[in-house]
Amino acid sequence: MIYKDQLNREVVLSRIPTRIVSLVPSQTELLVDLGLSDCIVGVTKFCVHPATIRNEKVIVGGTKNINYDTIKKLNPDIILCNKEENTKEIVACLQKEYPVHVSDIFSLPEALDMIKQYGEIFDKQTEATVLITRIKSEKVSFDTFIDNKPQKRVAYFIWKKPWMVAGKDTFVDYILKMNGFVNVFGNKSRYPEITEKELILIKNVDLILLSSEPYPFSEKHLKELRNMTNAEVILVDGEYFSWYGSRLVNAFSYFKTLH
């Protein structure tokens, strides 16, 4: 069986995989929600959903640094990666010995396509279709909810020391736009660093969002930023802005609380 991943790479499989190593936290959660928990043999230390997964599976490292010997012992049928989460070196090394599927997601349609591909690869078409249908239904309801809502200019912070924000060409930026927000750093590429001087000089920002990941922003950071800007500053659940698997089912209900 030959499949194409989201980089248009061929993924050649001799049978339906039953030993999966997932190097992407959101995709690990997706596998579980597709009913594939028993097939997962290895995960990263950042795979935190479901909460028990790291105790039940072998941890093979992080998303950028993995233990190749540990993976070899697991003898996986397939390894799941993501272009942004994992490095080219990891993919290049692993694909010499194992089938490697790489996702590449910057929009909701691409996220739904990834779920569909997993349904085909792991013989979970029915489960994948149900999940996709639920997500689409939630999106339709959300679109109705935000229709005619006032547009807000926002900045989405992901890191401190240095300050870093989400710019264009990111899934976060897509989600911001889907919320009807205008990303004030949407003219900058990827995840640019922002100096405090730049932050102070930003004008007409209605809302600053401090993400719960990858940097663990907390109440003290709210106060710090409120002293630097007149904008409203709130903490947000970063998983709903950057996880593109089954977490999308509940993401739209969460987004409604921000409007």
Side-chain angles (χ1 to χ4, degrees):
M1 298 177 288
I2 300 177
Y3 300 93
K4 290 288 185 72
D5 68 11
Q6 292 187 299
L7 295 184
N8 206 35
R9 299 167 54 261
E10 286 193 350
V11 182
V12 181
L13 300 170
S14 59
R15 57 188 175 86
I16 298 169
T18 57
R19 298 184 63 78
I20 308 167
V21 167
S22 173
L23 301 183
V24 189
S26 61
Q27 293 172 195
T28 298
E29 181 181 47
L30 171 60
L31 293 173
V32 173
D33 289 335
L34 288 176
L36 291 162
S37 181
D38 290 343
C39 296
I40 302 171
V41 294
V43 298
T44 74
K45 62 183 179 181
F46 301 116
C47 294
V48 295
H49 296 296
T52 57
I53 194 75
R54 289 178 297 176
N55 294 326
E56 298 169 348
K57 311 299 178 181
V58 175
I59 296 176
V60 300
T63 53
K64 299 290 192 291
N65 296 285
I66 61 172
N67 189 312
Y68 293 97
D69 289 337
T70 300
I71 290 178
K72 187 173 184 178
K73 291 176 183 177
L74 292 175
N75 191 31
D77 297 324
I78 191 170
I79 299 174
L80 305 179
C81 295
N82 173 265
K83 182 181 177 181
E84 181 172 284
E85 293 266 1
N86 311 120
T87 66
K88 286 184 179 179
E89 291 74 19
I90 285 176
V91 173
C93 186
L94 290 175
Q95 69 183 8
K96 292 176 183 178
E97 297 187 55
Y98 313 100
V100 177
H101 181 283
V102 183
S103 62
D104 186 24
I105 299 169
F106 294 96
S107 70
L108 183 60
E110 289 166 345
L112 298 180
D113 177 63
M114 185 261 292
I115 295 172
K116 181 175 181 288
Q117 287 188 22
Y118 278 18
E120 295 170 350
I121 291 171
F122 300 112
D123 194 27
K124 292 288 183 178
Q125 291 95 332
T126 299
E127 292 85 349
T129 299
V130 168
L131 187 56
I132 290 169
T133 301
R134 288 181 64 194
I135 293 171
K136 286 183 175 179
S137 177
E138 291 292 330
K139 172 65 162 57
V140 170
S141 174
F142 180 70
D143 286 343
T144 301
F145 171 81
I146 65 168
D147 192 33
N148 296 321
K149 292 283 185 183
Q151 197 172 63
K152 293 183 179 180
R153 291 172 55 81
V154 306
Y156 187 98
F157 281 76
I158 65 163
W159 201 257
K160 187 178 186 297
K161 294 183 180 180
W163 294 106
M164 294 176 68
V165 296
K168 63 182 178 180
D169 302 323
T170 62
F171 188 67
V172 171
D173 184 59
Y174 178 89
I175 295 296
L176 292 174
K177 290 175 181 176
M178 194 177 68
N179 272 272
F181 296 144
V182 176
N183 185 357
V184 297
F185 292 110
N187 62 326
K188 294 180 178 287
S189 182
R190 309 290 292 146
Y191 302 103
E193 293 183 12
I194 302 298
T195 65
E196 289 196 6
K197 183 177 180 181
E198 285 179 289
L199 178 58
I200 294 170
L201 290 174
I202 297 171
K203 303 298 182 184
N204 301 320
V205 181
D206 302 306
L207 183 62
I208 291 178
L209 308 176
L210 300 185
S211 179
S212 61
E213 64 163 41
Y215 188 89
F217 282 109
S218 62
E219 290 291 333
K220 68 178 181 180
H221 302 113
L222 291 180
K223 296 176 182 177
E224 185 176 351
L225 275 167
R226 283 169 181 163
N227 289 331
M228 300 168 64
T229 176
N230 292 324
E232 180 184 3
V233 186
I234 63 173
L235 297 171
V236 294
D237 188 331
E239 291 173 359
Y240 285 125
F241 281 87
S242 60
W243 285 40
Y244 35 73
S246 47
R247 187 146 293 252
L248 287 167
V249 170
N250 297 316
F252 298 100
S253 294
Y254 175 76
F255 295 148
K256 288 178 182 179
T257 68
L258 305 178
H259 292 270

